[in-house]
C-alpha cells in the first residue's frame, strides 16, 4: 500500500483544535481537503505530519506554534486613531477590518481593544502563537 510522500497530491479529512479542545476548523461536513505537499499551501507541521501515512489511516498531529502560524509578532499590533476610521464603522473587539497597503494589497486586521480615542488592531493570523492539534485521515493519494 502506498504512503504519502513529498510532492504527492492528497485528499484528507481533518479537524483542527486548540490545546484546550476548542475546534477551529473541520472538513468533516464538506469535501476533503485536496493539496499537493511541498507547494507551501499549508502550514509546515501539517504537511510533515501526514508524510508516510497510508490511505484510510487516521492520526493525531500535534503542531507547535512555530510549525503552524508562528509566534505572535508585536510589531503587527498597532494603535489607530478613531479619526482615521470611516464614519460608519463602530469598532468592537473581535471585529474584522481590512486595511489597504500602499502597494494595493489587502491586510486583514482584527480589533483587539477599543479605547476612547483609538483602537488597537492586530494583523497577526488569528492562530499565531497557538499550538494546534489536528485529527487527520488520509482519504486518497492522487
Amino acid at each position: 500500500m502506498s504512503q504519502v510522500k513529498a510532492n504527492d497530491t492528497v485528499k484528507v479529512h481533518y479537524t483542527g483544535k486548540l490545546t484546550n479542545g476548542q475546534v477551529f476548523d473541520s472538513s468533516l461536513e464538506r469535501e476533503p481537503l485536496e493539496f499537493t505537499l511541498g507547494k507551501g499551501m499549508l502550514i509546515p507541521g501539517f504537511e510533515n505530519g501526514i508524510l508516510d501515512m497510508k490511505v484510510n489511516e487516521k492520526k493525531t498531529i500535534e503542531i507547535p506554534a512555530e510549525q503552524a502560524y508562528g509566534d505572535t509578532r508585536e510589531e503587527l499590533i498597532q494603535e489607530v486613531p478613531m479619526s482615521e476610521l470611516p464614519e460608519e464603522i463602530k469598532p468592537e473587539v473581535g471585529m474584522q477590518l481590512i486595511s489597504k497597503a500602499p502597494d494595493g494589497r489587502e491586510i486583514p486586521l482584527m480589533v483587539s481593544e477599543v479605547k476612547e480615542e483609538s483602537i488597537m488592531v492586530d494583523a497577526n493570523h488569528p492562530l499565531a502563537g497557538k499550538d494546534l492539534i489536528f485529527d487527520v485521515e488520509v482519504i486518497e493519494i492522487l
Side-chain angles (χ1 to χ4, degrees):
M1 182 179 267
S2 66
Q3 294 177 292
V4 176
K5 57 190 180 308
N7 303 314
D8 277 351
T9 297
V10 297
K11 287 186 180 183
V12 301
H13 268 306
Y14 67 90
T15 298
K17 300 179 281 192
L18 302 176
T19 54
N20 67 5
Q22 178 188 346
V23 174
F24 61 83
D25 193 15
S26 177
S27 68
L28 296 180
E29 300 297 319
R30 56 185 192 259
E31 290 295 310
L33 174 66
E34 181 179 324
F35 67 98
T36 302
L37 279 82
K39 299 271 189 202
M41 297 165 65
L42 300 177
I43 58 176
F46 191 94
E47 286 197 14
N48 293 336
I50 68 162
L51 283 172
D52 299 325
M53 287 181 70
K54 297 174 179 70
V55 172
N56 298 323
E57 183 178 350
K58 293 181 181 182
K59 179 177 171 182
T60 297
I61 305 167
E62 296 186 18
I63 304 173
E66 57 272 7
Q67 286 289 303
Y69 293 96
D71 291 323
T72 300
R73 294 174 36 206
E74 292 301 319
E75 68 270 19
L76 296 180
I77 301 171
Q78 297 184 344
E79 190 163 3
V80 177
M82 291 284 196
S83 60
E84 290 186 19
L85 297 176
E87 252 180 60
E88 69 274 8
I89 292 182
K90 302 290 179 240
E92 295 177 26
V93 172
M95 178 183 275
Q96 300 284 329
L97 301 174
I98 300 291
S99 176
K100 282 215 190 284
D103 64 5
R105 286 181 304 123
E106 291 188 345
I107 302 167
L109 306 170
M110 186 182 325
V111 177
S112 58
E113 186 179 349
V114 178
K115 301 178 181 182
E116 199 165 312
E117 299 292 327
S118 64
I119 60 171
M120 299 299 292
V121 293
D122 187 345
N124 283 289
H125 188 282
L127 295 173
K130 295 179 172 42
D131 296 335
L132 307 178
I133 300 168
F134 283 91
D135 294 324
V136 180
E137 178 181 8
V138 174
I139 304 300
E140 189 176 358
I141 302 172
L142 304 171

